[in-house]
Amino acid sequence: MNRFAFTFAAAMALAAPSFAGQQYIDGTGFAVSGYDVVAYRSLDQVPIGQSQPEAVRGRSDITAEYNGATWAFANEENRSKFLENPEFYAPQYDGHCAFGVSKGGKVPGNPNLWRIVDDKLYLNITDVVVGFWEEDVPGNINLAEGNWPGIEPNDASKNVIPNFTSEGPVSN
């Protein structure tokens, strides 16, 4: 009987939907500080060691809900793309700093300190951290992927992003 109960419990756990951890939300009240996560795909990514182009702010009247957060978009087309596949567009580690996750913790991700690697969006917290991240991007991703299952269930970071203030999405 115990064996049946264990098998049933294991089957139910595997059948249950998997939920992401808490999305990082800053003082704007929006995921990714109100920036459009779909728009990153249209920006020209620069080589490692150079500053990425600034992210695109979303609009407060074009939003969607995902992972317990409100996301803003620059246009309806980007919103539609996001709704078709939010996991593809949402930043890794629920918007937390990728290097921070590689070191075993949750700290905020700055929407202007980004990089797309293997079709996944990663954010980092400061320019200095970006330097450490870029010393070994594949190695840091590997470490972060190993750490993430253990820290994902923890509460989202409540810290502010250093040297960054977002006005949130554009009001229309």
Side-chain angles (χ1 to χ4, degrees):
M1 184 67 160
N2 284 341
R3 186 174 175 169
F4 172 77
F6 176 77
T7 302
F8 179 76
M12 291 308 294
L14 293 174
S18 64
F19 294 100
Q22 291 181 335
Q23 190 69 41
Y24 173 72
I25 307 291
D26 68 0
T28 66
F30 288 86
V32 193
S33 304
Y35 286 77
D36 182 340
V37 292
V38 176
Y40 286 104
R41 307 292 172 150
S42 65
L43 297 174
D44 291 329
Q45 186 164 233
V46 299
I48 286 180
Q50 297 178 20
S51 296
Q52 296 283 37
E54 274 196 27
V56 176
R57 285 174 59 196
R59 291 179 26 181
S60 62
D61 62 335
I62 305 176
T63 62
E65 299 297 316
Y66 172 71
N67 192 27
T70 303
W71 303 72
F73 304 92
N75 54 55
E76 290 289 344
E77 180 182 359
N78 284 4
R79 180 183 179 272
S80 294
K81 286 179 179 178
F82 180 82
L83 289 172
E84 288 173 14
N85 192 358
E87 289 182 10
F88 176 74
Y89 293 104
Q92 299 300 293
Y93 318 123
D94 301 324
H96 291 90
C97 171
F99 188 73
V101 173
S102 78
K103 295 300 178 191
K106 282 186 175 181
V107 295
N110 181 325
N112 286 321
L113 300 175
W114 61 276
R115 181 159 298 281
I116 296 173
V117 180
D118 296 331
D119 258 350
K120 295 178 182 178
L121 173 62
Y122 297 91
L123 304 177
N124 278 293
I125 189 169
T126 65
D127 289 328
V128 171
V129 166
V130 169
F132 293 130
W133 169 254
E134 291 182 343
E135 286 178 4
D136 183 8
V137 173
N140 285 316
I141 290 172
N142 188 47
L143 288 170
E145 289 297 310
N147 289 338
W148 187 238
I151 63 175
E152 181 180 16
N154 299 345
D155 289 343
S157 176
K158 301 290 186 211
N159 296 330
V160 298
I161 302 168
N163 307 314
F164 173 81
T165 303
S166 174
E167 297 175 23
V170 177
S171 297
N172 287 0

